[in-house]
Amino acid sequence: MSDPLRHAFAHCPRCRESMGIFDEGGVVRPTCSACGFVQYLNPSPAAATVIRRGRLVCLVQRKYAPKAGEWTLPAGFIEYDEAPAEAARRETFEETGLDVRIDGLVAVHQGVLPPDRPVILIVYAATELGGELLAGDDAAAVGFWPPDAPPGPIAFSSHRRVLAALAAADREAAR
Ligand SMILES: [Zn+2]
């Protein structure tokens, strides 16, 4: 994991004074010495869906950096006042055109959005209700593939972990 101070403000966003660094029991807290503003350096929460068609799983090809051209589960960042499951449903619709119902939690993984943004990925199982499979604005392509045979590299380690677990569960179910 990268140095959290790379993300620290040099100047207070409230009063423009220089920020100092307080060490709170080993946790770094950039803090304004003038007004007391504290910059909490937390991971960004994101949500993803696992949508199956038999043994196949829905994957989206990234259109934009980072990792343009590589593949992920349908996923995106959770908005300020949005519930995680709603973010998963919204991002899935925006990227794939599929209207889905969120069924339950699959996994929660720590990850990094390159170059160094820490992310917590919340992964839900989802079922197609309707819609039309069509790559959305920030997707280059969308489709269904076996979890152990995606059409190209998987962009993020957290998504690779989900696909590996799906492939292992599929193998177990086939025995
Ligand atoms: Zn300040």
Side-chain angles (χ1 to χ4, degrees), residues 23-132:
D23 187 322
E24 196 177 283
V27 177
V28 166
R29 303 259 190 247
T31 305
C32 177
S33 51
C35 79
F37 170 80
V38 179
Q39 182 190 7
Y40 291 97
L41 294 166
N42 296 322
S44 300
T49 53
V50 170
I51 311 164
R52 305 301 298 267
R53 285 183 179 175
R55 290 289 163 81
L56 309 181
V57 63
C58 187
L59 295 174
V60 175
Q61 187 177 32
R62 293 176 64 81
K63 193 171 182 177
Y64 301 115
K67 303 272 186 178
E70 298 193 17
W71 296 78
T72 69
L73 299 165
F77 286 107
I78 301 171
E79 297 294 346
Y80 183 78
D81 58 352
E82 191 175 41
E86 172 54 23
R89 196 200 60 75
R90 175 184 54 76
E91 287 285 352
T92 298
F93 181 75
E94 289 174 2
E95 293 184 346
T96 70
L98 297 178
D99 193 10
V100 296
R101 179 189 71 221
I102 300 299
D103 295 322
L105 190 63
V106 171
V108 178
H109 290 307
Q110 185 182 35
V112 175
L113 183 71
D116 60 2
R117 181 176 181 178
V119 173
I120 299 295
L121 184 70
I122 305 168
V123 186
Y124 292 99
T127 301
E128 289 182 63
L129 297 178
E132 187 180 352

Side-chain angles (χ1 to χ4, degrees), residues 11-19 31-38:
H11 295 276
C12 177
R14 282 199 189 140
C15 76
R16 303 184 186 182
E17 286 296 321
S18 292
M19 296 285 280
T31 305
C32 177
S33 51
C35 79
F37 170 80
V38 179

Side-chain angles (χ1 to χ4, degrees), residues 130-149:
E132 187 180 352
L133 190 65
L134 194 68
D137 284 346
D138 56 355
V142 62
F144 285 76
W145 286 273
D148 58 356

